[in-house]
Amino acid sequence: MQGEFRLIGVGRRYGVRGPWVLRGVHLTLTAGSLTRIEGANGTGKSTLLRVLAGIDAPSEGSLTGRPRTAYVPERFPAALPFTAHGYLTHLGAVHGLARTAAARAADEWLERLGATGYGRTPMAQLSKGSSQKVAVAQALLADPELLVLDEAWTGLDAAARGELERVVAERTASGASVVFVDHDPARLAGAPNATYTVTEGGLDLRAAQAGSPEPSGPHLVVEAQGPPGARPPAEALRWATSSTETATPGHHRLSVPGTHSDVVLRALLTARPPWHVARVEPETTGTPEEPAGVAVLALPARSATDEGRR
Amino acid sequence: MTALLRYQAALLVRSQRWLPPFILYAVFLAVGVQGGQPVLDSLGYTAAAVLPVAAWLVRICAGNEPPAARAAVAAAVGPGRAHLACLLVALGAAAALGTAATVVVTLISDPTNTDHQIEVARLPAGAAGLLAALVCALLGTAVGALTTWPLLRSPGRAVPAMMLGALLAMVMTGSPAKSAITSLVTGSRAGTIPVPVLPLVAAVLLTATATALACALTSRRSS
């Protein structure tokens, strides 16, 4: 996403004389930001997300700088005459991909969300969770610059829920803006840059953090070896809750939220010069022991986080 | 836009909801048109029946996606463009049906005027019939666009409004469809072939206006 996406004094009501569902909403989304929207049922969260996604036009106020947008609805009734793969290929093309690229992206995302087995199944025969995976995949096909998730986790299995959290971390790390609503307070805990509460049609900033996750939720400890005296890459430090250099020069121990471990590992491994990832393990409560020596085992990022999830 | 049209067309074809209007149209022609009848009369009949079919197809296309799927597409391309693709596919389907029927009717009809006295050239007659069918497809699309989501949502009001609208578009004086059909029928009596270009221009303008209105409203009405 380039520049800012801004909502200026946005209000929304249904019908010409209907009551205001939203009023006076000012919101600025910057590149790489993760925004959480909270609020009781029926306060207008979904309406706000629909305005953000461009599905509904504001009844007053304006939007500027709309990026390429994708939206995941809360429920995705799959009454469509396509197979999951066929639908995703169509949607990939609608999102702007060439047809072959769209078909490839459909395969990739079905695989990432653990739905490859349903790729050739007619949508009408999919379970609720599987069709929700299709709804999520549809939004991710073309690397959107703004991703709007309206309780997108609802109905997903544990593996897909974790994957979607990591996807959100990836998208924000690569400069996209993500806005989400979820009833689970632990969802991406500590990761959002800002949390807003929708109350009586208005928007209150509840918490703003400059991209420094709180030390809550499951964490992983990443130990990495860099050149002596070097600090870990900024992109890795951005997501780490703590970073300490151990006795060995250049050997750092980073505490990272589980959702962002892949992003941190990627930052370490793709740094110039690349860092050597020595160890990835779930953070144990209490003071972690000093490692006896530098382990030379470099775990693949994915299996390391899988370990962490179990 | 190509991807959107392809998606909407695939939705229409695979949903098989196009079958009832297509079958009804075929039955209507089988009853009303027989081989050896005066060509321009039969073409007028063929064109007129396209109008309600087009309106019905718009209704089908607009309701083909569940609201959640429509929202996903609307976020990607904007709700107006998504709805435009839907209307264009309905228009295309109606125009294709009208064209096919016009070709068949032109070939099986008698190339003469109403009382089989004056010769009427088959090819120009077919072209005139094609223009009239196109006028009716356009006007039917306009009627459909104005009587379905986002303008009218409850089927209790939308379906009667659509039927009444289609009927009025066919019989009301001043309607491009009515004047195109009338020109074929009067042309058949006199043995002259009309060129209903003016009704076509009027139909294009009317349909463009109706389509623009419907597309503009998509983001203002709830689904």
Side-chain angles (χ1 to χ4, degrees), chain A residues 12 14 50 53-58 69-71 73 75-77 79-82 87 90-91 93-95 99 138, chain B residues 3-4 6-7 10-11 14-15 64-66 68-69 71-79 218-223:
Chain A
R12 168 83 181 156
Y14 295 98
R50 288 175 67 88
I55 302 161
D56 286 353
T69 308
Y71 170 77
R75 278 185 303 270
F76 196 69
L80 289 164
F82 298 111
Y87 173 71
H90 273 297
L91 264 280
V94 167
H95 278 282
R99 271 196 84 73
Q138 143 312 108
Chain B
L4 260 182
R6 199 195 281 255
Y7 166 66
L11 260 178
R14 284 163 167 269
S15 75
N64 246 342
E65 278 177 296
V73 173
V77 296
T218 49
S219 59
R220 313 205 175 269
R221 295 296 184 87
S222 63
S223 47

Side-chain angles (χ1 to χ4, degrees), chain A residues 19 38 51 53 95 97 120 154 168 206 218 239 244 249 275 279 295:
Chain A
E38 292 181 338
V51 171
H95 278 282
L97 297 178
R120 313 291 154 181
T154 309
V168 168
R206 214 197 63 185
W239 297 111
T244 47
W275 283 53
R279 198 146 86 153

Side-chain angles (χ1 to χ4, degrees), chain B residues 66-179:
Chain B
R70 185 161 59 208
V73 173
V77 296
R81 280 167 69 87
H83 195 58
L84 176 63
C86 161
L87 296 178
L88 286 177
V89 164
L91 172 63
L97 180 66
T99 305
T102 301
V103 169
V104 172
V105 167
T106 309
L107 291 177
I108 64 167
S109 295
D110 191 20
T112 54
N113 73 334
T114 310
D115 41 14
H116 299 273
Q117 300 301 314
I118 308 166
E119 186 106 346
V120 172
R122 216 183 269 275
L123 202 64
L130 205 59
L131 284 182
L134 208 55
V135 169
C136 290
L138 280 164
L139 229 61
T141 305
V143 168
L146 295 177
T147 57
T148 186
W149 184 87
L151 281 102
L152 292 177
R153 274 166 293 175
S154 89
R157 270 183 293 171
V159 173
M162 181 187 81
M163 288 160 80
L164 187 68
L167 185 69
L168 285 179
M170 281 192 284
V171 301
M172 212 169 64
T173 315
S175 152
K178 153 103 176 176
S179 72

